[in-house]
C-alpha cells in the first residue's frame, strides 16, 4: 500500500486504516516467524562422533551437541554384516569435518532426521551409492536410484549374496 492511499484511508475511514495496519503487522510477524523457523532447521557444525553408519553427533557453534539420524537411508546395524564397514566409510567422509545439517524432522527417539552436506555433497546419497546403506524406502524414495546402481555394480554390502535389510535384521533380533 502506498503512502497516499494510507493518508486517504486515514481521512475517510480510521477503522479501515486500523484494520489494514493490524493485517500488515500480522503479515510481517508471520513472515518473520517462518523465516526464523526455516533458519532453525539448518545447523552448521563439526561432526564429533560417528555412532554407526547412519547416526552422528554434531557440535554447533554454540557448543550444543545434536544427535542426527541420516535421512532416507538405513545402514547395517553394528552387529550386522557391513555394519562396521558402514560406520568406517561414514567416518572417512565426515569425521571431524564441518557439515551442514538440513533437518527433515524428528524420529521416535527425538533425534533430528537430516540431510548431511559436506562441501555441498549429499553424504546420505554417498552412503547408498557406495553400498554402505540401503535406501530407507519406508520413509523416503530419494535414494532408490543410488541403491539400484550400487546393487548392479555389487558395491559394498551388495557384494554379499545374503543381504538383509537393517529393518528386517532389527525385527529378527527383537524376536530372538
Amino acid at each position: 500500500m502506498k503512502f497516499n492511499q494510507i493518508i486517504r484511508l486515514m481521512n475517510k475511514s480510521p477503522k479501515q486504516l486500523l484494520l489494514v495496519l493490524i493485517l500488515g503487522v500480522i503479515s510481517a510477524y508471520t513472515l518473520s516467524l517462518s523465516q526464523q523457523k526455516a533458519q532453525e532447521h539448518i545447523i552448521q557444525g563439526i561432526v564429533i562422533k560417528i555412532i554407526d553408519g547412519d547416526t552422528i553427533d554434531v557440535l554447533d557453534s554454540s557448543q550444543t551437541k545434536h544427535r542426527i539420524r541420516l535421512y532416507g537411508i538405513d545402514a547395517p546395524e553394528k552387529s550386522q554384516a557391513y555394519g562396521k564397514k558402514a560406520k568406517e566409510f561414514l567416518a572417512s567422509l565426515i569425521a571431524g569435518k564441518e557439515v551442514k545439517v538440513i533437518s527433515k524432522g524428528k524420529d521416535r527417539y527425538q533425534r533430528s532426521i537430516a540431510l548431511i552436506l559436506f562441501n555441498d555433497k549429499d553424504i546420505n546419497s554417498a552412503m547408498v551409492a557406495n553400498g554402505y546403506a540401503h535406501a530407507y524406502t519406508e520413509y523416503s524414495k530419494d535414494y532408490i536410484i543410488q541403491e539400484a546402481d550400487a546393487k548392479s555394480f555389487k558395491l559394498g554390502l551388495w557384494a554379499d549374496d545374503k543381504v538383509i535389510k537393517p529393518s528386517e535384521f532389527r525385527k529378527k533380533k527383537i524376536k530372538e
Side-chain angles (χ1 to χ4, degrees), residues 150-166:
K151 277 182 186 178
S152 68
F153 291 108
K154 296 192 178 293
L155 298 177
L157 62 93
W158 301 110
D160 193 336
D161 292 335
K162 299 173 187 150
V163 175
I164 299 171
K165 283 179 142 184

Side-chain angles (χ1 to χ4, degrees), residues 1-12:
M1 182 172 260
K2 294 180 181 176
F3 186 72
N4 318 11
Q5 292 171 317
I6 293 172
I7 297 297
R8 271 190 249 129
L9 260 180
M10 200 166 59
N11 292 332
K12 286 185 178 180

Side-chain angles (χ1 to χ4, degrees), residues 55-86:
T55 309
I56 61 175
D57 284 343
V58 173
L59 191 66
D60 69 19
S61 60
S62 67
Q63 303 302 300
T64 302
K65 185 174 89 169
H66 302 270
R67 177 69 45 102
I68 310 294
R69 171 74 162 76
L70 276 66
Y71 166 80
I73 75 169
D74 198 12
E77 297 297 316
K78 291 177 190 176
S79 59
Q80 188 178 0
Y82 287 90
K84 185 178 178 187
K85 289 180 182 180

Side-chain angles (χ1 to χ4, degrees), residues 130-158:
N130 288 284
Y132 291 102
H134 296 256
Y136 210 169
T137 57
E138 290 87 341
Y139 297 99
S140 165
K141 306 292 183 214
D142 289 0
Y143 302 114
I144 293 172
I145 293 169
Q146 291 86 337
E147 181 177 283
D149 288 347
K151 277 182 186 178
S152 68
F153 291 108
K154 296 192 178 293
L155 298 177
L157 62 93
W158 301 110

Side-chain angles (χ1 to χ4, degrees), residues 83-156:
K84 185 178 178 187
K85 289 180 182 180
K87 178 180 177 180
E88 290 169 356
F89 185 72
L90 183 57
S92 75
L93 296 175
I94 58 172
K97 306 222 169 93
E98 185 171 350
V99 296
K100 182 185 280 187
V101 177
I102 303 172
S103 179
K104 302 283 189 174
K106 298 263 185 191
D107 68 7
R108 63 182 173 185
Y109 305 109
Q110 293 307 301
R111 298 176 295 191
S112 289
I113 300 170
L115 171 65
I116 306 300
L117 299 176
F118 173 64
N119 289 339
D120 294 323
K121 180 180 179 183
D122 182 341
I123 299 303
N124 307 38
S125 176
M127 290 297 292
V128 177
N130 288 284
Y132 291 102
H134 296 256
Y136 210 169
T137 57
E138 290 87 341
Y139 297 99
S140 165
K141 306 292 183 214
D142 289 0
Y143 302 114
I144 293 172
I145 293 169
Q146 291 86 337
E147 181 177 283
D149 288 347
K151 277 182 186 178
S152 68
F153 291 108
K154 296 192 178 293
L155 298 177

Side-chain angles (χ1 to χ4, degrees), residues 20-72:
V20 168
L21 289 174
I22 289 171
L23 289 174
V25 168
I26 290 171
S27 294
Y29 180 72
T30 304
L31 179 63
S32 170
L33 280 180
S34 66
Q35 288 173 339
Q36 183 181 5
K37 193 172 185 180
Q39 289 173 352
E40 289 173 355
H41 287 3
I42 298 175
I43 301 166
Q44 288 276 143
I46 305 290
V47 177
I48 57 170
K49 187 173 184 180
I50 306 293
I51 308 301
D52 56 28
D54 55 27
T55 309
I56 61 175
D57 284 343
V58 173
L59 191 66
D60 69 19
S61 60
S62 67
Q63 303 302 300
T64 302
K65 185 174 89 169
H66 302 270
R67 177 69 45 102
I68 310 294
R69 171 74 162 76
L70 276 66
Y71 166 80

